[in-house]
Amino acid sequence: MTESKYPMIPVEEAQQIVLAHVAPLPAEDVPFDEALDRVLAEDVYAGEDMPPFAASAKDGFAVRAADGVQPRRLLGEQMAGLMATLHVEPGTAVRITTGAPVPPGADAVIMVEYTTVEGDTVRLSKAVQPGDDVRPPGQDIVQGQLVLPAGTAIGPAEIGLLATVGQVRVPVYARPRVATMSTGDELVEPGETPAPGQIRDSNRYTLAAAAHRAGATVVDLGHAPDTAEALTTHFGEGLAHADVVVTSGGVSMGELDLVKPLLEEIGTVHFGRVHIKPGFATVDGKPFFALPGFPVSSLVAFEVFVRPALRKMAGFRELFRPRHHVTLRHDVRHSADRPEFARAIVEWEDGRLFARTTGFQGSGRLLSLVGANALLALPHGRGDFRAGEKVEALLIG
Ligand code: AMP
Ligand code: MG
């Protein structure tokens, strides 16, 4: 029997090895409105109170609460965006709009719905308490407050907060640049008609899309034939222009599976075999992932090993997908001699998550990933599963 020289290691151990060899990239400054899905590299503090002045929470009248329900003499109006110039004396009121500064002298706002106006007299249908419908300065944010700590993933609310505090340029971790390529003498481009024995290259496009979605920018190296010379040239290109290299194919036990031997020559292979065949090396400190050629295996390996690494490089604290126990809707065949990530659709029903697989789970059948929102982590050492059993799922979408 031909044996691989690489020991088979468990997925979790391989993940730890990968993460031990990648670190967050240096920070760069970007305009705040281009920082979506990036990770803050420094703390952001507020330079001012929010609201910066006592602001009306409603459209109505600024009054003194101590005047009770007695009619008020209307002094004028205070609109949002203007400085407060009027002064509310006892027995008077000022018409006010939402977000306008509450004029000095007033300590409450009464909603327009509780008032009637005749000429310059305002009548109140109820009394108000001091502070009613007034947002005091600093109610939302206090000057000097830490609003976004370093390590925050920037979403829509965070973009809004950056605008609020006037932080128009923000330091974020650089996006990893990922070079993707496929290997194989049988590959042609998607726009070509394969000759007998050839197939279209799909992995390079799948992996580029997955890298993009993981927050990376992509350098396309094209596909390389199974020759040491072509592979070496492609690897060199990738290492010169990217932070990470991801290849597909050429990592099995065939004579032309040259990727790992070549990595031994130019770098350090940290593992060469996990149950889904990927290898991981570093070359001059740069992570290099050699993923399998079977389309499903390569995307699943990307999901399990490359995505967490790219997220760590991009500064994210959460590297892994959420996991949840799900109930199988039907029997699932599983071979006990290896773990498997079965592609599945998970749905919420009657307060529980249920899973059904996406059909035939062949490692070449990309259709098994279409519409899948979960990978069922079927463990090593245990055979078929029955409908109604619970398994652990990685929620991937
Ligand atoms: P390999 O890992 O190179 O032995 O390839 C395993 C299987 O995946 C073979 O059937 C290949 O033809 C197929 N394959 C390899 N690379 C690609 C690719 N880039 N796109 C689609 N299928 C591929
Ligand atoms: Mg091949």
Side-chain angles (χ1 to χ4, degrees):
M1 272 212 341
T2 314
E3 279 265 346
S4 167
K5 63 178 274 198
Y6 300 105
M8 182 81 87
I9 64 169
V11 170
E12 292 73 18
E13 188 183 333
Q15 285 175 321
Q16 292 316 314
I17 292 172
V18 168
L19 293 178
H21 286 92
V22 301
L25 294 168
E28 62 187 14
D29 266 7
V30 299
F32 80 99
D33 53 348
E34 292 173 18
L36 184 65
D37 293 335
R38 307 289 292 269
V39 179
L40 260 188
E42 286 171 29
D43 294 341
V44 172
Y45 292 88
E48 303 108 20
D49 282 346
M50 185 66 204
F53 45 82
S56 177
K58 297 279 165 55
D59 294 328
F61 295 88
V63 296
R64 297 167 79 107
D67 290 343
V69 290
Q70 67 164 289
R72 314 294 212 277
R73 185 167 56 85
L74 184 58
L75 296 179
E77 54 184 28
Q78 172 65 56
M79 314 296 274
L82 298 174
M83 260 310 295
T85 51
L86 297 164
H87 198 278
V88 177
E89 308 293 343
T92 68
V94 165
R95 188 188 291 276
I96 195 165
T97 58
T98 305
V102 174
D107 61 1
V109 168
I110 180 148
M111 279 168 75
V112 69
E113 287 86 340
Y114 296 116
T115 63
T116 48
V117 182
E118 287 161 31
D120 67 352
T121 303
V122 185
R123 289 179 204 286
L124 284 59
S125 62
K126 65 168 201 174
V128 288
Q129 300 300 313
D132 279 2
D133 282 329
V134 176
R135 295 166 56 222
Q139 183 180 57
D140 302 338
I141 298 171
V142 181
Q143 182 180 28
Q145 182 183 339
L146 172 63
V147 284
L148 297 171
T152 300
I154 299 175
E158 288 74 18
I159 299 256
L161 269 172
L162 292 167
T164 300
V165 303
Q167 177 101 31
V168 292
R169 293 194 68 81
V170 286
V172 292
Y173 292 100
R175 288 181 189 281
R177 287 167 304 165
V178 176
T180 51
M181 60 174 283
S182 15
T183 71
D185 288 332
E186 73 276 35
L187 301 178
V188 300
E189 285 298 300
E192 295 179 293
T193 305
Q198 297 183 323
I199 58 166
R200 295 190 180 95
D201 178 4
S202 66
N203 291 352
R204 204 167 98 235
Y205 298 93
T206 309
L207 295 172
H212 185 80
R213 190 170 266 184
T217 57
V218 175
V219 180
D220 180 14
L221 300 176
H223 69 254
D226 293 310
T227 67
E229 207 184 352
L231 292 175
T232 305
T233 309
H234 277 71
F235 293 178
E237 279 286 298
L239 291 162
H241 296 111
D243 305 304
V244 181
V245 180
V246 178
T247 68
S248 104
V251 293
S252 308
M253 295 289 289
E255 267 169 56
L256 291 181
D257 289 328
L258 301 170
V259 174
K260 289 177 202 170
L262 282 174
L263 285 175
E264 297 276 7
E265 282 177 28
I266 60 169
T268 309
V269 175
H270 300 283
F271 58 80
R273 218 157 45 116
V274 190
H275 287 270
I276 37 183
K277 278 195 203 154
F280 170 66
T282 46
V283 184
D284 299 331
K286 291 190 176 179
F288 192 121
F289 295 89
L291 305 186
F294 275 111
V296 174
S297 315
S298 86
L299 186 52
V300 169
F302 182 98
E303 171 64 40
V304 175
F305 301 108
V306 187
R307 183 180 178 274
L310 297 182
R311 286 180 63 85
K312 182 169 180 187
M313 294 173 82
F316 287 98
R317 304 266 164 96
E318 283 215 335
L319 306 182
F320 297 104
R321 301 285 194 180
R323 282 170 178 256
H324 217 285
H325 282 110
V326 298
T327 305
L328 296 174
R329 286 214 195 266
H330 52 75
D331 295 355
V332 172
R333 298 199 65 87
H334 174 58
S335 138
D337 59 9
R338 60 193 175 90
E340 189 187 354
F341 291 102
R343 284 71 72 192
I345 297 164
V346 165
E347 288 160 335
W348 180 256
E349 194 182 298
D350 299 333
R352 268 203 292 173
L353 289 172
F354 286 90
R356 65 192 148 87
T357 75
T358 50
F360 172 57
Q361 298 283 308
S363 50
R365 185 174 173 259
L366 259 189
L367 272 176
S368 70
L369 270 161
V370 172
N373 61 0
L375 297 175
L376 308 181
L378 306 180
H380 185 202
R382 143 103 241 221
D384 297 348
F385 287 81
R386 314 285 309 209
E389 277 196 75
K390 282 196 168 178
V391 299
E392 200 169 273
L394 277 66
L395 305 180
I396 58 168

